[in-house]
Amino acid sequence: DVQLVESGGGSVQAGGSLRLSCAASGYTYSSYCMGWFRQAPGKEREGVAAITNGGVSTYYADSVKGRFTLSKDNTKNTVYMQMNSLKSEDTATYYCAAGRPGITIATCTSGRDDPFGFWGQGTQVTVS
């Protein structure tokens, strides 16, 4: 079974930073597109960022460009999202997801959630 476990969420003041981690197991991690999504109360889930299996191509939502940065450590089967200059509107539950096998780079970096077939349990980020 594919398992994704997020960590690193918490409460922070506006302007602060957090680093989310997503540890993957149960599949060939390095072959998959990885993404982060978030959902705030009363809002739809939105794509925040994604990175292709090779780590060459990335996607960032306009709302986080220049503030959030993805990275991968294939030796640890872990993807990280560094979040800087956090704003109150970043408050949400953040989910890590792995793309379905065989999706293209364009699909991986589209911001859509339907290409992602495996999801973590979520980690809460609160910015005040």
Side-chain angles (χ1 to χ4, degrees), residues 65-100:
K65 281 180 182 176
R67 300 189 298 122
F68 291 11
T69 304
L70 285 178
S71 60
K72 294 178 71 179
D73 185 340
N74 288 343
T75 65
K76 296 182 179 179
N77 284 5
T78 300
V79 61
Y80 304 96
M81 185 164 69
Q82 179 67 41
M83 305 187 298
N84 298 329
S85 302
L86 283 162
K87 306 175 181 180
S88 59
E89 51 263 46
D90 295 319
T91 295
T93 301
Y94 284 71
Y95 298 90
C96 173
R100 302 180 193 279

Side-chain angles (χ1 to χ4, degrees), residues 7 53 63 91 115 119 125:
S7 61
N53 55 345
S63 58
T91 295
W119 294 82
V125 171

